[in-house]
Amino acid sequence: MTAKRALTVLAAASAAAALTVTATTTSTAAPARAAACGAGYVGLTFDDGPSGTTTKLLDALRQNGLRATMFNQGQYAAANPSLVRAQVAAGMWVANHSYTHPHLTRLSQAQIDSEISRTQQAIANAGGGTPKLFRPPYGETNATVKSVAARYSLTEIIWHVDSQDWNGASTDAIVQSVARLTNGQIILMHDWPANTLAAVPRIAQTLATRGLCAGTISPQTGRAVAP
């Protein structure tokens, strides 16, 4: 065999070995992912941003391999468009949480429409896309709120578990709240509490221990599903 022929054979063997490694890696990645999420998916949600703490929250979520739905207030999205873009860049999903966070059930239909429509526009203008999900402030809703949301093709999302972070819940209590989640369920958290930020690494650990992954929220079912 000539030296040139030997080199050709060696190159072909190396290429075949590389293909085998690639195929093996690809074939095992999906089952590994499925095993990690064997118990299903849950929806992590953070209300009231974007704010001065958003960047730290996004960093913590990203460092711990978590994705979440950010229910933004329109007034803050309009004032901080770069933070809305940062949410998207970090792999989060951006949703509508009204413009000024009022008690919508106390407003007229026209006022409700203004709260929802202005937020849709503010988020879109900021680079967050057109939201498909809507969370009424305080979880307060009625037939009028639902009908206005539907006009903008928004699915109303409340929650299954309230972390109580808005009410001064400790980091331990927030983590314990996450531990109550089951497949498809959604937890309410907020963009601004320091205890919530501190809880993020332990939230990731808790979900991993229970075989749950952080998923997206389906506009069709209103439940957490695989991204």
Side-chain angles (χ1 to χ4, degrees), residues 17-221:
L19 285 173
T20 300
V21 171
T22 301
T24 302
T25 302
T26 302
S27 64
T28 57
R33 173 71 174 172
C37 309
Y41 294 83
V42 298
L44 306 179
T45 68
F46 295 88
D47 288 10
D48 295 348
S51 71
T53 56
T54 297
T55 299
K56 288 184 179 180
L57 176 60
L58 294 177
D59 287 345
L61 291 170
R62 188 161 41 190
Q63 288 166 10
N64 287 278
L66 298 175
R67 300 178 72 183
T69 301
M70 319 303 282
F71 283 96
N72 287 343
Q73 289 188 39
Q75 60 181 337
Y76 299 144
N80 303 284
S82 64
L83 291 179
V84 176
R85 292 192 292 274
Q87 291 173 333
V88 175
M92 309 303 152
W93 301 281
V94 182
N96 186 321
H97 193 42
S98 81
Y99 202 84
T100 63
H101 207 275
H103 293 275
L104 292 178
T105 55
R106 303 177 188 175
L107 303 183
S108 68
Q109 181 169 320
Q111 290 171 319
I112 295 169
D113 190 291
S114 176
E115 284 285 333
I116 292 176
S117 64
R118 284 192 297 159
T119 303
Q120 289 291 92
Q121 193 62 55
I123 289 174
N125 288 347
T130 300
K132 297 179 180 178
L133 307 177
F134 166 68
R135 172 170 286 161
Y138 314 103
E140 297 172 350
T141 189
N142 57 22
T144 304
V145 173
K146 290 177 185 295
S147 68
V148 174
R151 185 180 305 163
Y152 292 94
S153 300
L154 289 164
T155 300
E156 187 178 87
I157 303 296
I158 308 296
W159 53 82
H160 299 94
V161 176
D162 181 352
S163 71
Q164 291 283 313
D165 64 346
W166 55 272
N167 198 28
S170 66
T171 297
D172 285 346
I174 294 167
V175 174
Q176 288 164 9
S177 295
V178 172
R180 299 204 306 269
L181 290 170
T182 59
N183 182 39
Q185 291 191 331
I186 295 164
I187 185 168
L188 168 68
M189 294 180 284
H190 290 77
D191 174 275
W192 48 269
N195 287 343
T196 303
L197 178 62
V200 170
R202 291 173 59 194
I203 288 172
Q205 293 167 2
T206 297
L207 294 180
T209 298
R210 300 185 60 227
L212 291 166
C213 291
T216 189
I217 300 174
S218 166
Q220 288 71 43
T221 66

Side-chain angles (χ1 to χ4, degrees), residues 1-9:
M1 181 182 293
T2 65
K4 183 176 181 181
R5 173 62 175 165
L7 287 173
T8 300
V9 171

